[in-house]
Amino acid sequence: MILSFFPLLLPLTVFIFGSIVGSFLNVCIARMPKDESVVSPPSHCPVCKTPIPFYDNIPLISYLHLRGRCRSCREKISPRYFVVEFLMAVLAVLLFSRIGLGLAFFVNFVLVAALIIITFIDLDVRIVPDVISLPGIAVGLVVSIVNSQWLMVQSLLLPTPLSSALGILLGGGVLLLVAWSYQFFTGIEGMGGGDIKLLAMIGAFLGWPSIPVALFFASLIGSIVGVAFMLKKGVDSKYALPFAPFLCFGALVYLFFGELLIALYQPLG
Ligand SMILES: [Zn+2]
């Protein structure tokens, strides 16, 4: 009985751990754009400001139990809180099932958390927060150096320092070039500097081969969603979709299907 239960124990623990971290990511998403501290004051209802007791702050469960409403003022709580907790929990389990528990798991768990924060802040207020992407670039590079010097864990998801550095240059460089030429030919500023730093961060964590993959899938899904959006709302070329969520999606594609895709251009590197 215990043995048959045991295989589920670890993924379940990872799921719960992911949802708890997701709960913290929600705090970051709500507070970082306002330059507020993510540790104090403790969680409170954004409408009535009532502090949220611990039993109403249980990831996933509290949202369902309270049916998405504040206990004191009954105002609706954004479903984003549930979505972020669920997303982080599910991606943590997928990451665990892909590479097990080890250095590669924890490093890429941090990357996934950063991608989720950036995605939802960009959707919310149209900013890719430097406070995530810039330290992210440094963390990705430093981890690759520490790993190659001392830990020596072999994993596709832990690039060499050279690959990480090239990832930063390629990720930052390609989009900078796109942004410049787009602005040059159209006179419109289409791509923000935030997207450039985000792709550099992705390159730092995942190495240079992740850049073409992330860009390709970001553009592909971005175009599909963009066309669908235009069909629904009518053509309005002035409205630009936020690009960061698509770049984050592209990074996840590489994270989970990297070696399948990398085989396609292995001869290059
Ligand atoms: Zn309230």
Side-chain angles (χ1 to χ4, degrees), residues 45 47-50 70 72-75:
C45 167
V47 180
C48 69
K49 312 286 181 214
T50 308
C70 167
S72 30
C73 70
R74 308 301 302 158
E75 200 60 45

Side-chain angles (χ1 to χ4, degrees), residues 20-200:
I20 293 168
V21 171
S23 179
F24 175 68
L25 301 187
N26 273 317
V27 178
C28 298
I29 292 162
R31 296 189 189 179
M32 276 178 171
K34 294 185 241 165
D35 277 331
E36 293 173 359
S37 161
V38 294
V39 282
S40 74
S43 296
H44 52 269
C45 167
V47 180
C48 69
K49 312 286 181 214
T50 308
I52 299 170
F54 75 92
Y55 51 82
D56 281 345
N57 210 359
I58 301 163
L60 300 172
I61 294 166
S62 289
Y63 185 88
L64 295 176
H65 175 67
L66 295 169
R67 300 210 173 106
R69 285 179 187 278
C70 167
R71 190 190 284 277
S72 30
C73 70
R74 308 301 302 158
E75 200 60 45
K76 261 191 99 158
I77 300 164
S78 165
R80 184 180 77 199
Y81 286 87
F82 184 86
V83 170
V84 166
E85 286 162 1
F86 189 69
L87 203 56
M88 191 67 229
V90 168
L91 289 173
V93 172
L94 289 178
L95 196 59
F96 164 73
S97 67
R98 174 152 154 71
I99 47 177
L101 280 185
L103 182 68
F105 173 85
F106 288 102
V107 172
N108 287 287
F109 184 89
V110 169
L111 172 64
V112 170
L115 295 176
I116 290 181
I117 294 178
I118 288 172
T119 293
F120 285 90
I121 287 183
D122 196 29
L123 288 175
D124 197 17
V125 293
R126 294 306 200 82
I127 290 169
V128 177
D130 282 351
V131 66
I132 298 291
S133 61
L134 291 181
I137 293 171
V139 168
L141 184 62
V142 167
V143 166
S144 73
I145 293 169
V146 169
N147 184 39
S148 79
Q149 291 296 310
W150 293 287
L151 305 170
M152 286 173 265
V153 178
Q154 296 278 341
S155 168
L156 173 70
L157 298 179
L158 292 170
T160 63
L162 179 65
S163 180
S164 175
L166 285 175
I168 296 170
L169 291 176
L170 193 63
V174 164
L175 280 193
L176 203 58
L177 212 63
V178 171
W180 275 341
S181 34
Y182 186 78
Q183 203 162 355
F184 181 79
F185 288 113
T186 64
I188 305 166
E189 198 183 336
M191 185 116 40
D195 296 326
I196 295 168
K197 287 170 243 174
L198 166 60
L199 198 60

Side-chain angles (χ1 to χ4, degrees), residues 231-255:
L231 290 176
K232 195 164 165 258
K233 300 253 174 176
V235 182
D236 178 7
S237 59
K238 283 207 190 85
Y239 183 82
L241 285 172
F243 194 51
F246 299 116
L247 285 174
C248 293
F249 174 81
L252 289 180
V253 171
Y254 182 82
L255 197 54

